[in-house]
């Protein structure tokens, strides 16, 4: 008896009869839906979850410094001590689950998009700095549009119950992720879930710049040595993220304020996330705190994001290499 493969073979279109566009489309789909892209996406998601969990208190301090402008403490240790003293020992980990959930989804989308498009465009050849930047921007845009609602909710949950110095902040009372989505849609409209989308779209240059520098450093080192050590990966990951964060930090501050969305500011224009609001918040920040007000919390952000990004990339690289080794697949060197 002929097996199922025989019937399938008799019905299949001979390879020679498929048109070139059809073959190209099939190859494109194969690149996008490849096992390799999935490995990169899962490794990136797990790497980010591991790194963020380790350095989560630093992110809590950074967010308080960005959103609560009237807080007198300026340094990360001082802010963390204040939070623990006033709100309890576990307060620096408030909002951990929604943040980790959002980060996991966000990095899965980013790494899957980045590596799928890279497989499609580079096609086994060496990539270039320009291509890495373009791929990073496209992956970033897809990530922002798909995951911003998760980040809006987790920003609010993370700051819920915080003791603010700024009376302009309206407190929230959400029972969890689902309730937060429900209340935001009910009270502010569904578009409020995309608060901060505009600065977030501008901020796609942050991971794009980060991976452009990282991939560039990586290519240079791999010309001189067979493979990168853990220290190599950690250091170039940290340097790449430090450059990207410093260049884009003012917009990150605006993004945090818009995502939080609880300031009694700019009442005449409630279309949060618009270009007008971005410029308004930047002007207000400079007017009230001077030019350096745009960089309030940068120390905490650099400390948190550089260490987190470096550890994330290290875990990502090791997981990816280990998975390909275990599965007996060749680790793609599209770098």
């Amino acid at each position: 008896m002929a097996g199922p493969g025989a019937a399938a073979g008799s019905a299949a279109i001979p390879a020679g009869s498929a048109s070139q566009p059809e073959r190209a489309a099939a190859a494109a789909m194969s690149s996008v839906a490849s096992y390799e892209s999935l490995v990169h996406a899962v490794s990136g998601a797990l790497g980010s979850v591991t790194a963020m969990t380790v350095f989560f208190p630093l992110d809590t301090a950074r967010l308080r410094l960005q959103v609560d402008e009237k807080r007198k403490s300026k340094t990360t240790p001082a802010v963390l001590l204040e939070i623990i003293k006033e709100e309890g020992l576990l307060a620096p980990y408030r909002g951990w689950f929604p943040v980790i959930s959002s980060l996991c989804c966000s990095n899965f989308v980013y790494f899957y998009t980045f590596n799928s498009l890279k497989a499609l465009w580079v096609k086994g050849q060496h990539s270039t700095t320009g291509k890495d930047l373009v791929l990073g921007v496209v992956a970033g845009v897809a990530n922002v549009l798909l995951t911003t609602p998760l980040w809006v909710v987790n920003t609010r949950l993370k700051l819920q119950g915080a003791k603010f110095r700024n009376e302009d902040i309206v407190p929230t009372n959400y029972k969890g992720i689902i309730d937060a989505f429900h209340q935001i849609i009910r009270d502010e409209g569904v578009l409020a879930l995309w608060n901060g989308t505009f600065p977030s779209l501008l901020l796609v240059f942050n991971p794009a710049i980060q991976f452009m520098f990282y991939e560039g450093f990586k290519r240079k080192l791999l010309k001189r040595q067979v493979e990168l050590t853990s220290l190599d990966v950690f250091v170039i990951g940290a340097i790449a993220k430090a450059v990207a964060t410093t260049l884009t930090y003012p917009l990150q501050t605006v993004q945090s304020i818009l995502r939080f969305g609880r300031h009694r500011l700019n009442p005449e224009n409630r279309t949060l996330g618009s270009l007008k609001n971005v410029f308004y918040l930047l002007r207000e920040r400079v007017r009230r705190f001077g030019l350096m007000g745009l960089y309030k919390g940068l120390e905490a952000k650099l400390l948190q994001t550089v260490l987190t990004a470096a550890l994330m990339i290290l875990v990502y690289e090791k997981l990816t290499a280990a998975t390909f080794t275990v599965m007996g697949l060749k680790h793609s060197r599209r770098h």
Side-chain angles (χ1 to χ4, degrees):
M1 179 185 292
S10 63
I13 298 173
S17 66
S19 67
Q20 189 168 351
E22 287 174 336
R23 289 197 298 272
M29 285 302 297
S30 175
S31 295
V32 171
S34 71
Y35 177 76
E36 186 176 330
S37 294
L38 185 62
V39 170
H40 282 290
V42 172
S43 298
L46 291 176
S48 64
V49 167
T50 302
M52 179 56 86
T53 299
V54 172
F55 297 115
F56 194 82
L58 298 178
D59 190 58
T60 298
R62 181 271 309 173
L63 191 57
R64 296 293 181 90
L65 286 166
Q66 284 183 324
V67 172
D68 192 5
E69 298 100 333
K70 295 187 179 179
R71 184 176 289 274
K72 292 182 180 178
S73 296
K74 306 294 183 185
T75 65
T76 303
V79 171
L80 284 174
L81 285 174
E82 273 185 0
I83 293 171
I84 292 171
K85 182 179 178 181
E86 296 174 3
E87 303 170 33
L89 188 63
L90 295 179
Y93 275 92
R94 180 186 290 119
W96 173 84
F97 182 74
V99 169
I100 290 300
S101 302
S102 302
L103 192 65
C104 187
C105 294
S106 183
N107 276 277
F108 183 92
V109 170
Y110 187 88
F111 278 93
Y112 193 92
T113 306
F114 184 89
N115 285 285
S116 295
L117 293 176
K118 195 168 187 177
L120 202 60
W121 192 7
V122 178
K123 295 178 180 175
Q125 300 174 357
H126 287 286
S127 186
T128 64
T129 301
K131 286 183 179 179
D132 288 335
L133 183 62
V134 172
L135 291 168
V137 169
V138 174
V141 169
N143 178 31
V144 166
L145 295 178
L146 289 172
T147 65
T148 289
L150 288 171
W151 287 110
V152 168
V153 166
N154 88 55
T155 299
R156 297 194 185 191
L157 287 172
K158 189 172 182 180
L159 291 170
Q160 184 167 277
K163 297 183 183 300
F164 293 111
R165 273 59 170 178
N166 188 354
E167 62 275 9
D168 289 327
I169 295 176
V170 183
T172 60
N173 185 27
Y174 304 129
K175 296 175 183 176
I177 296 175
I178 303 301
D179 184 56
F181 272 109
H182 174 71
Q183 286 195 43
I184 292 170
I185 293 171
R186 183 193 65 197
D187 299 337
E188 303 170 49
V190 69
L191 291 180
L193 292 172
W194 276 269
N195 278 353
T197 297
F198 187 80
S200 295
L201 286 173
L202 295 178
L203 279 169
V204 300
F205 283 101
N206 181 293
I209 291 169
Q210 174 193 350
F211 278 94
M212 178 185 74
F213 275 97
Y214 176 75
E215 294 287 348
F217 289 145
K218 188 175 176 180
R219 278 192 293 271
K220 286 187 180 296
L221 285 175
L222 287 173
K223 287 178 181 177
R224 296 182 296 178
Q225 56 197 70
V226 176
E227 61 180 24
L228 300 182
T229 66
S230 297
L231 182 62
D232 290 334
V233 173
F234 191 89
V235 170
I236 64 176
I239 293 171
K241 190 62 177 179
V243 173
T245 298
T246 304
L247 290 174
T248 59
Y249 188 75
L251 279 174
Q252 291 185 51
T253 299
V254 170
Q255 178 194 55
S256 294
I257 294 170
L258 289 172
R259 279 176 174 173
F260 186 40
R262 310 304 295 175
H263 286 67
R264 297 188 183 96
L265 293 175
N266 204 13
E268 70 278 4
N269 181 9
R270 296 301 300 161
T271 313
L272 291 178
S274 69
L275 182 59
K276 186 175 181 181
N277 264 286
V278 171
F279 284 128
Y280 171 83
L281 288 168
L282 288 172
R283 284 199 311 271
E284 279 295 293
R285 197 84 175 181
V286 172
R287 184 182 66 81
R288 296 168 69 183
F289 306 107
L291 193 60
M292 292 309 296
L294 295 175
Y295 287 90
K296 186 179 180 184
L298 177 61
E299 174 224 355
K301 180 64 178 176
L302 279 175
L303 187 61
Q304 176 263 325
T305 200
V306 167
L307 292 175
T308 301
L311 181 57
M312 182 273 288
I313 290 176
L314 177 59
V315 174
Y316 158 71
E317 291 281 7
K318 295 301 180 184
L319 275 176
T320 304
T323 303
F324 284 129
T325 301
V326 169
M327 299 304 293
L329 296 173
K330 184 180 178 182
H331 188 185
S332 174
R333 300 292 294 272
R334 298 189 308 268
H335 303 304

